[in-house]
Amino acid sequence: MSPEVPRPTAETHSNNLVVWLAGVMFLVVQRPLYSHSLWWNLSRGREVAHGIFSPVKELLTLERAFEADWCSGLPFYLFWSTGGIHFLAAIPLLASTFLLIFLGKKLSAANGTWAVALMLPLFLWSVRGELQPVPGLIDLLGLVVLWQVLSARRSKRQLIFSVLLLFAVWSNFAPRPGWGLLWLLLTVGFQQSVDNAITKKKNKRSKVAERSNTHFMQSSLAVVVAALIGGICNPRGILSWRDSFVLMMPSTFVSPEFRLERAWSGAFNSKSWSVEETAFLLLFFLSVGLVVRAIWLSQRVEASTGSNSNDEGDLARDRSRNRQRNLALISLFSLPLLGCLLAKANLPICSLWLVLAVLWFSDQSVPSEKKTREHVQGWRLTSVAAIIFGIALVDATGISSLSTRRLGWGIDSEIDVRLLNLPQLDPDGEQLIGWSPDTRSVGAALWIDEGMKFVDVPQRALLGGRLREHSQQLEDLRGAHRASYFRDDGSQGGWVRKFSEWNVDLLILPVEFEVIHRELMKSPWRPLDMDSPAVPYGSSANSRMSQLVLEVIQQQGFVEFGPWQPSVENYSGHGWRFDFVELLGGGTDPAAAIRQSRLFRTMDIPVAALRALVPVRTGKVRGPLAHELGLCQRDLAYQEWTTFGQASVFRRLVLREFPSDSAGSSSATPLWGELTPDEIETPEVWEESVQLYLRGDLHGAIQTLPGETSQQCFASAMLWLELGETGSAMQELEKLLKLNPDRPMQIAANYWREQIQQFSEF
């Protein structure tokens, strides 16, 4: 008879749950830092550390008002000063660990293992955008501390002082204490109603009940007043509450055309929802379901035990308490949903609100219902845990279409300030003034050059009522309205005039602003850098920048026509970033290469754009990389068509492999026309070459082409050029010209020979 296998104990189940949660947390949260406001807040923190009382007035030329959260960047700057980028990179893990420990224990005790297994992973997905060294993290911590303060048994005086101190600190270190005030109003108001009902039930004499009601009302009012007073204990004063609510619902105060930040728009507006939006919606329905279930169980307990009294007054008071509880349920859960609909930036704190609301309702349940729940175990829970872990693992690899950020450590290349090369133009003590519609660009430049100033930053423009003029300036840049003109509303437009009025020396734009980049390339304002996600522009008419402009023009020619051969090393973190997926053999993250290619396309150097993608093209491409490759093929085909009169056969065959939307085409028939059977002399050879090319094997694609026709020679030449092998490209072009090609191919061969020869000695 075999010995009986001991069943796992509750302690074993608890340990397994902790290990599982730690693994999910690591897979979901651990990413290189990517917040666009990181360097802006670090720059503000540096100013405060240097003794500046109002950092925004020091950094922005248009800012005249004090800011409430003037210290919001200081804690993270101290982290940077202590341990550099790696101390900052540890903040998401530290913050998520604290939140999981705090929420996990309480959820497990109040709602059981299933609640922990389902709610906390969804919570982590929803909130991870603010688990970064940014002020939004302090908003999250402030709400957690407020929940703890209100849940603890304290005397009236201690409670009032704690709330006053909490909101005083919160308003100086974070921008949205308004969420705490709303939580306070709802929970304290409901608690007062419940206490009133209980008091009336215990005290039949009306005078005793009235005195108790008055006492409860005074206590609640004192707590709310303490929060209001604490919230104005900052340099902004009473206007800090106004600023907080504006940031909580910016879409209410700003027209869609004036929203400079994507996070100011409401959630669930796009056709495809992000991981954070999907997780929040699931968390919302799960939270409501748990609370409704708790209320149903509570009512069953009350119905089963029953009240021995037939007093109609007691029954009426019970019904009143239930109505008030239902009203609180509707209020507490509709508010975070409304907050997300008003601004996507509210997703993290609204997710935390939902979890705390579940805990709060658990605390309000009747004693009979608040019993210790057994840990629900078995194959169902194990299966759910395995599915969640698998989803987290897929999310960590970045292969999902919903999220492409990969598991890693350090700082994302998207905000790596080392890539930004600013001009050193201060020999006579003149201060450099910049303009940008993007917080990431402003912060990166201010962090690099401590002596620099910017005109404005989106958040401060929103609070200061200056958003309209910046949005109009952005529209003038998109529409190429350089010269002065009058708009329909009577205001004067023209971006050159406005920059002159603001004394702007430097314009910095994110790579994503493709239309503006293309328009600026036609103006005297030219790029001063070619590597950064935030591209600086200076006027070639400015004598201080003309030499820099000339150098970048030469660099553009080199990367397009010269022997430039980028490698994976070009996109590595160089000590600031570690890609765990790449270290485990998952290949290089293509995000940095895609961004570089995108910039080159806007500069109208499509061959350089293709070259930028070569190091990350291993195997069949998909997702954003495939989309960018298709756009590069389209741009190069268009260049061939406009310059030589026709697009090459190879380019058109490659474009066939991309859907029209992936290649940026809005019509079924391209401008350069469809291929005819006469143009494809050996279709099987072309097909093999194209397929090898799409798999990233450019050498194999070249070897497949025998070079018997001018089109094959031209395709080989362009492939060699894409590889940076200009000598081999020249040989193929010479061979092409000996084959007596038609007029378009002759023009193309001569054009590329002349361009390559200019940069053959670089």
Side-chain angles (χ1 to χ4, degrees):
M1 186 173 178
S2 60
E4 184 178 353
V5 179
R7 298 182 64 183
T9 63
E11 183 179 357
T12 303
H13 287 310
S14 178
N15 292 337
N16 291 340
L17 180 64
V18 170
V19 173
W20 175 79
L21 272 177
V24 171
M25 178 191 70
F26 182 75
L27 292 175
V28 171
V29 173
Q30 188 52 54
R31 303 288 187 274
L33 300 178
Y34 57 85
S35 174
H36 283 195
S37 64
L38 173 67
W39 298 111
W40 163 246
N41 288 296
L42 287 179
S43 298
R44 293 168 62 216
R46 181 174 60 190
E47 295 297 319
V48 175
H50 292 169
I52 304 299
F53 186 63
S54 181
V56 293
K57 294 172 71 174
E58 186 71 20
L59 298 173
L60 306 176
T61 60
L62 292 185
E63 187 60 72
R64 298 292 181 267
F66 288 100
E67 56 188 323
D69 60 325
W70 64 290
C71 287
S72 58
L74 182 60
F76 309 117
Y77 176 73
L78 295 178
F79 262 78
W80 168 274
S81 301
T82 304
I85 195 64
H86 298 296
F87 264 48
L88 283 180
I91 288 178
L93 272 183
L94 295 175
S96 56
T97 301
F98 166 75
L99 290 173
L100 281 190
I101 292 173
F102 179 83
L103 299 174
K105 287 183 178 179
K106 298 184 181 299
L107 273 176
S108 180
N111 299 92
T113 308
W114 275 101
V116 174
L118 293 175
M119 288 193 72
L120 291 186
L122 292 174
F123 167 73
L124 288 174
W125 265 303
S126 304
V127 82
R128 64 181 176 183
E130 294 285 54
L131 297 179
Q132 304 259 320
V134 293
L137 174 59
I138 304 178
D139 280 319
L140 297 177
L141 299 178
L143 192 58
V144 168
V145 173
L146 177 62
W147 186 93
Q148 184 63 31
V149 166
L150 297 178
S151 300
R153 297 184 178 275
R154 299 173 183 268
S155 66
K156 173 184 174 181
R157 182 173 299 178
Q158 289 176 329
L159 179 61
I160 292 173
F161 177 76
S162 299
V163 170
L164 175 69
L165 180 62
L166 170 61
F167 275 87
V169 174
W170 193 343
S171 65
N172 282 274
F173 282 86
R176 291 172 293 179
W179 283 110
L181 182 63
L182 292 177
W183 178 271
L184 192 67
L185 290 171
L186 288 175
T187 56
V188 170
F190 173 69
Q191 186 63 54
Q192 178 190 337
S193 301
V194 172
D195 291 343
N196 287 349
I198 295 174
T199 302
K200 287 180 180 180
K201 190 172 183 178
K202 291 181 177 179
N203 300 286
K204 305 297 183 180
R205 297 166 56 188
S206 59
K207 289 185 178 180
V208 175
E210 288 177 4
R211 284 198 299 269
S212 298
N213 291 344
T214 303
H215 173 73
F216 285 134
M217 186 175 296
Q218 291 175 346
S219 299
S220 301
L221 183 61
V223 172
V224 173
V225 170
L228 289 171
I229 294 175
I232 64 175
C233 294
N234 54 66
R236 184 67 165 156
I238 195 171
L239 290 177
S240 61
W241 285 117
R242 174 259 183 193
D243 291 352
S244 178
F245 283 101
V246 168
L247 293 176
M248 287 165 57
M249 43 186 178
S251 59
T252 306
F253 299 91
V254 182
S255 301
E257 63 269 20
F258 297 146
R259 294 172 192 169
L260 296 183
E261 298 280 356
R262 283 180 295 178
W264 292 352
S265 299
F268 316 114
N269 284 336
S270 59
K271 294 181 180 179
S272 59
W273 295 349
S274 65
V275 171
E276 290 76 12
E277 289 171 305
T278 305
F280 171 82
L281 205 58
L282 293 174
L283 181 64
F284 173 79
F285 288 118
L286 179 60
S287 303
V288 172
L290 285 172
V291 172
V292 170
R293 177 179 176 274
I295 292 176
W296 177 70
L297 289 174
S298 176
Q299 291 174 346
R300 283 188 60 187
V301 170
E302 291 176 355
S304 62
T305 57
S307 176
N308 296 326
S309 173
N310 293 323
D311 191 334
E312 291 295 332
D314 289 345
L315 295 176
R317 279 186 286 272
D318 288 341
R319 287 194 296 269
S320 175
R321 185 169 72 89
N322 289 335
R323 284 196 300 269
Q324 291 162 354
R325 179 173 56 188
N326 294 338
L327 180 61
L329 169 66
I330 295 172
S331 302
L332 272 178
F333 286 94
S334 61
L335 197 60
L337 182 60
L338 178 62
C340 291
L341 293 175
L342 289 174
K344 196 178 295 184
N346 292 328
L347 273 171
I349 198 165
C350 288
S351 302
L352 177 60
W353 179 295
L354 290 174
V355 180
L356 294 179
V358 171
L359 294 176
W360 187 81
F361 267 98
S362 300
D363 284 346
Q364 305 305 314
S365 59
V366 297
S368 300
E369 195 268 333
K370 288 172 63 179
K371 57 185 179 181
T372 304
R373 293 171 172 78
E374 296 181 358
H375 291 277
V376 182
Q377 306 299 335
W379 65 270
R380 292 184 181 87
L381 183 60
T382 304
S383 300
V384 170
I387 291 172
I388 292 175
F389 193 86
I391 294 173
L393 192 61
V394 171
D395 180 57
T397 60
I399 62 176
S400 168
S401 60
L402 298 178
S403 177
T404 58
R405 299 191 186 278
R406 311 208 307 189
L407 187 70
W409 179 271
I411 189 164
D412 196 280
S413 60
E414 186 179 6
I415 60 170
D416 193 338
V417 291
R418 298 172 303 171
L419 299 175
L420 179 58
N421 182 27
L422 290 178
Q424 303 297 319
L425 304 173
D426 199 18
D428 304 321
E430 297 180 11
Q431 192 174 47
L432 201 63
I433 296 178
W435 181 86
S436 177
D438 174 58
T439 304
R440 171 184 57 177
S441 305
V442 173
L446 289 174
W447 182 256
I448 292 174
D449 188 349
E450 294 187 45
M452 188 176 179
K453 279 193 175 187
F454 266 78
V455 175
D456 223 333
V457 73
Q459 180 178 305
R460 297 307 304 174
L462 169 65
L463 296 176
R466 303 182 297 271
L467 204 58
R468 184 184 183 87
E469 57 183 326
H470 292 295
S471 299
Q472 290 176 336
Q473 185 75 348
L474 203 58
E475 286 304 312
D476 283 346
L477 285 165
R478 287 196 186 100
H481 295 303
R482 293 178 54 205
S484 181
Y485 72 101
F486 286 95
R487 303 186 181 96
D488 293 338
D489 60 2
S491 61
Q492 192 171 1
W495 60 265
V496 172
R497 181 195 63 83
K498 200 64 178 178
F499 282 156
S500 177
E501 179 182 319
W502 286 335
N503 297 317
V504 171
D505 303 298
L506 204 64
L507 171 62
I508 303 184
L509 295 170
V511 170
E512 293 77 12
F513 285 34
E514 291 188 33
V515 175
I516 299 180
H517 285 297
R518 293 184 186 275
E519 293 299 334
L520 285 174
M521 293 298 293
K522 305 171 187 176
S523 76
W525 287 69
R526 308 291 292 182
L528 305 177
D529 193 9
M530 296 176 59
D531 300 320
S532 175
V535 186
Y537 281 83
S539 174
S540 57
N542 187 334
S543 59
R544 299 184 299 167
M545 298 192 182
S546 56
Q547 184 60 36
L548 292 172
V549 169
L550 181 59
E551 291 177 3
V552 172
I553 291 175
Q554 292 174 338
Q555 292 172 10
Q556 288 175 337
F558 171 71
V559 298
E560 176 77 351
F561 307 111
W564 180 58
Q565 296 177 319
S567 65
V568 174
E569 187 67 18
N570 290 67
Y571 308 123
S572 68
H574 298 287
W576 269 27
R577 181 172 59 260
F578 300 96
D579 186 343
F580 296 157
V581 177
E582 182 180 3
L583 293 175
L584 294 174
T588 304
D589 186 357
I594 292 172
R595 200 176 301 112
Q596 183 69 80
S597 173
R598 193 173 183 180
L599 176 60
F600 285 162
R601 282 194 298 105
T602 63
M603 292 179 174
D604 198 24
I605 43 177
V607 172
L610 282 171
R611 287 178 172 185
L613 298 178
V614 169
V616 296
R617 285 180 56 197
T618 54
K620 186 73 173 178
V621 296
R622 60 178 181 273
L625 180 57
H627 179 70
E628 179 62 27
L629 181 61
L631 293 176
C632 291
Q633 301 297 333
R634 178 208 63 183
D635 285 5
L636 193 50
Y638 181 77
Q639 185 192 73
E640 291 175 353
W641 178 68
T642 55
T643 307
F644 319 130
Q646 70 176 25
S648 64
V649 170
F650 182 80
R651 201 65 54 196
R652 285 185 280 175
L653 286 172
V654 171
L655 277 170
R656 277 184 175 182
E657 303 296 322
F658 293 91
S660 58
D661 56 343
S662 296
S665 176
S666 58
S667 61
T669 304
L671 295 172
W672 40 86
E674 295 286 358
L675 282 169
T676 62
D678 294 338
E679 293 179 281
I680 311 175
E681 299 170 355
T682 51
E684 51 288 330
V685 172
W686 284 113
E687 178 65 20
E688 184 180 358
S689 179
V690 167
Q691 292 305 319
L692 287 170
Y693 174 77
L694 292 175
R695 290 197 294 269
D697 186 4
L698 274 67
H699 288 95
I702 295 170
Q703 292 171 2
T704 304
L705 297 172
E708 297 173 352
T709 66
S710 59
Q711 287 286 351
Q712 291 177 357
C713 289
F714 184 75
S716 297
M718 295 306 295
L719 288 172
W720 281 121
L721 189 61
E722 189 173 334
L723 287 167
E725 299 286 350
T726 54
S728 299
M730 287 289 287
Q731 291 176 8
E732 290 293 338
L733 293 173
E734 295 287 352
K735 182 179 177 182
L736 186 159
L737 291 172
K738 293 178 181 178
L739 295 175
N740 297 319
D742 56 13
R743 185 62 177 167
M745 279 290 97
Q746 186 179 3
I747 295 174
N750 287 323
Y751 169 82
W752 285 109
R753 282 179 60 209
E754 293 174 4
Q755 300 300 329
I756 293 172
Q757 285 175 348
Q758 294 182 42
F759 297 91
S760 59
E761 298 180 359
F762 274 76

